[in-house]
C-alpha cells in the first residue's frame, strides 16, 4: 500500500552519496520538485511507485545538487574578524580589522584592511566590505563588458549590478546587462564567461546552437568555465 502521508526518504546517488528528501503525494499528473531552506521536496501523483519517481528525477540531479548547495551556503556566514579569508578575483585575501573613528576598506595585495567604528559588530563589517566589493565589481564588470562587446560586435545600453539569489547574469529587451556583484570573488575566466553569456543573448535571446556558437567564438573553453561556476556557486554566496 502506498503511504499518502509526507514521508522523509533518501535518494542514493551513483557516487555513493545520498540526498534526503520529503515525498508528498497529491492528486496530480506530474512530478514537481522544490528546493528550499528545508531541503528537497518532491510532489508526486498518488499511485506512482517510488522507484519510478527517482527514475524520472535522475536527469535533474545536477540541478538539485546545485540548488541544495545554494541553500546550504545561505545558512553559512563569513566570520567577520581578523584572519578570515575571502576571495577577490579568485585570489585569497585576508581580512584585517581595526578600530577607527571612520569606516574604510582598502586592499593591499593579499590583505584587506577594514577600519570600522563598530569593531565587534559583524553585520556592520559585512556591510562595509560588501559595499566596497560592489563598487569594485561594477568598475571591473564595465571594463570587461566593453572588451567583449567589441569581440561579439554587440552594443549593450548599460551595465548594472544584480543582487539575485539564483542567477549570475541577465539581459533584457532594452539591451541592459545585469551581473551579480558576488562574481567579483570568482576567477577572471569565470567572470568573462558570465559576461559573454549575457552579451551573446543580445544576438540570440535563447540557448540555441547559434547562441552557444556566439559564446564559443570568444571563449572556446566556455564549457569548463560553466562547470566550474556551478561548483563555486555555493561559496560565492557566503558573502551578502
Amino acid at each position: 500500500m502506498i503511504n499518502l502521508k509526507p514521508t522523509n526518504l533518501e535518494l542514493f546517488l551513483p557516487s555513493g552519496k545520498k540526498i534526503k528528501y520529503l515525498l508528498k503525494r497529491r492528486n496530480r499528473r506530474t512530478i514537481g520538485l522544490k528546493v528550499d531552506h528545508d531541503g528537497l521536496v518532491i510532489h508526486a501523483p498518488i499511485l506512482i511507485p517510488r522507484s519510478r519517481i527517482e527514475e524520472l528525477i535522475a536527469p535533474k540531479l545536477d540541478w538539485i545538487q546545485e540548488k541544495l548547495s545554494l541553500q546550504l551556503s545561505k545558512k553559512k556566514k563569513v566570520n567577520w574578524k581578523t584572519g578570515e579569508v575571502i576571495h577577490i578575483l579568485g585570489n585569497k585575501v585576508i581580512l584585517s580589522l581595526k578600530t577607527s573613528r571612520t569606516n574604510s576598506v582598502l586592499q593591499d595585495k593579499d590583505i584587506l584592511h577594514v577600519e570600522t567604528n563598530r569593531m565587534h559588530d559583524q553585520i556592520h563589517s559585512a556591510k562595509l566590505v560588501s559595499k566596497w566589493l560592489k563598487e569594485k565589481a561594477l568598475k571591473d564588470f564595465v571594463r570587461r563588458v566593453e572588451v567583449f562587446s567589441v569581440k561579439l560586435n554587440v552594443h549593450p545600453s548599460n551595465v548594472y549590478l544584480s543582487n539575485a539569489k539564483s542567477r549570475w547574469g541577465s539581459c533584457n529587451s532594452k539591451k541592459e546587462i545585469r551581473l551579480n556583484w558576488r562574481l567579483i570573488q570568482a576567477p577572471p575566466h569565470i567572470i568573462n564567461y558570465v559576461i559573454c553569456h549575457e552579451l551573446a543573448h543580445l544576438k540570440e535571446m535563447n540557448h540555441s546552437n547559434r547562441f552557444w556558437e556566439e559564446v564559443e567564438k570568444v571563449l572556446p573553453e566556455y564549457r569548463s568555465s560553466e562547470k566550474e561556476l556551478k561548483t563555486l556557486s555555493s561559496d560565492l554566496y557566503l558573502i551578502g
Side-chain angles (χ1 to χ4, degrees):
M1 180 180 295
I2 295 178
N3 184 6
L4 298 183
K5 294 182 179 180
T7 310
N8 289 299
L9 299 168
E10 292 181 341
L11 173 64
F12 290 88
L13 305 177
S15 62
K17 295 182 179 180
K18 56 188 178 183
I19 296 176
K20 294 182 179 180
Y21 69 94
L22 180 66
L23 176 60
K24 294 183 177 181
R25 294 186 179 275
R26 295 287 186 270
N27 186 17
R28 54 184 294 158
R29 295 182 179 180
T30 60
I31 291 176
L33 303 177
K34 181 177 72 172
V35 178
D36 58 22
H37 62 279
D38 291 323
L40 172 62
V41 180
I42 299 178
H43 297 272
I46 293 174
L47 297 179
I48 188 170
R50 176 184 169 186
S51 58
R52 180 57 177 161
I53 294 172
E54 296 184 356
E55 179 183 341
L56 290 172
I57 69 171
K60 294 283 189 178
L61 287 178
D62 287 344
W63 177 86
I64 291 170
Q65 291 182 82
E66 181 182 352
K67 295 300 181 182
L68 287 172
S69 294
L70 284 174
Q71 288 297 329
L72 180 61
S73 70
K74 292 174 184 178
K75 297 179 182 179
K76 298 179 180 178
K77 292 182 180 180
V78 170
N79 192 358
W80 296 97
K81 65 179 183 180
T82 294
E84 181 77 356
V85 175
I86 64 172
H87 289 80
I88 299 175
L89 293 172
N91 299 312
K92 291 183 179 180
V93 177
I94 302 172
L95 293 176
S96 175
L97 275 67
K98 294 182 180 180
T99 303
S100 174
R101 292 183 178 180
T102 59
N103 298 309
S104 66
V105 180
L106 176 66
Q107 183 179 0
D108 181 13
K109 296 181 180 179
D110 61 348
I111 304 294
L112 193 65
H113 298 280
V114 181
E115 294 189 354
T116 172
N117 56 12
R118 302 184 201 173
M119 187 64 179
H120 302 293
D121 187 340
Q122 291 210 8
I123 294 178
H124 178 67
S125 298
K127 287 181 178 179
L128 281 179
V129 177
S130 294
K131 181 176 182 294
W132 182 84
L133 285 172
K134 289 174 184 177
E135 293 171 353
K136 184 176 182 68
L138 185 58
K139 292 178 182 178
D140 183 273
F141 297 168
V142 167
R143 177 181 61 81
R144 294 176 193 274
V145 167
E146 290 175 350
V147 171
F148 286 106
S149 292
V150 173
K151 292 185 177 183
L152 282 164
N153 192 27
V154 293
H155 306 282
S157 61
N158 218 327
V159 180
Y160 299 100
L161 293 182
S162 161
N163 192 39
K165 297 299 182 182
S166 59
R167 299 180 70 179
W168 293 115
S170 65
C171 71
N172 58 30
S173 58
K174 297 178 181 179
K175 296 186 178 182
E176 297 170 337
I177 302 295
R178 284 177 167 76
L179 300 164
N180 196 313
W181 65 270
R182 296 175 184 84
L183 277 172
I184 195 62
Q185 302 170 84
H189 66 276
I190 291 181
I191 301 174
N192 292 343
Y193 161 67
V194 175
I195 287 174
C196 287
H197 185 117
E198 299 311 327
L199 289 175
H201 276 312
L202 297 181
K203 287 188 172 182
E204 298 288 337
M205 292 296 287
N206 50 53
H207 289 107
S208 63
N209 289 336
R210 287 187 298 181
F211 166 81
W212 291 113
E213 287 170 2
E214 291 294 331
V215 177
E216 193 170 21
K217 284 180 185 178
V218 291
L219 292 180
E221 305 297 326
Y222 78 86
R223 290 180 182 86
S224 61
S225 297
E226 181 183 32
K227 184 176 180 180
E228 189 176 348
L229 177 58
K230 290 181 179 179
T231 303
L232 283 176
S233 289
S234 58
D235 291 336
L236 298 181
Y237 273 96
L238 293 178
I239 292 180

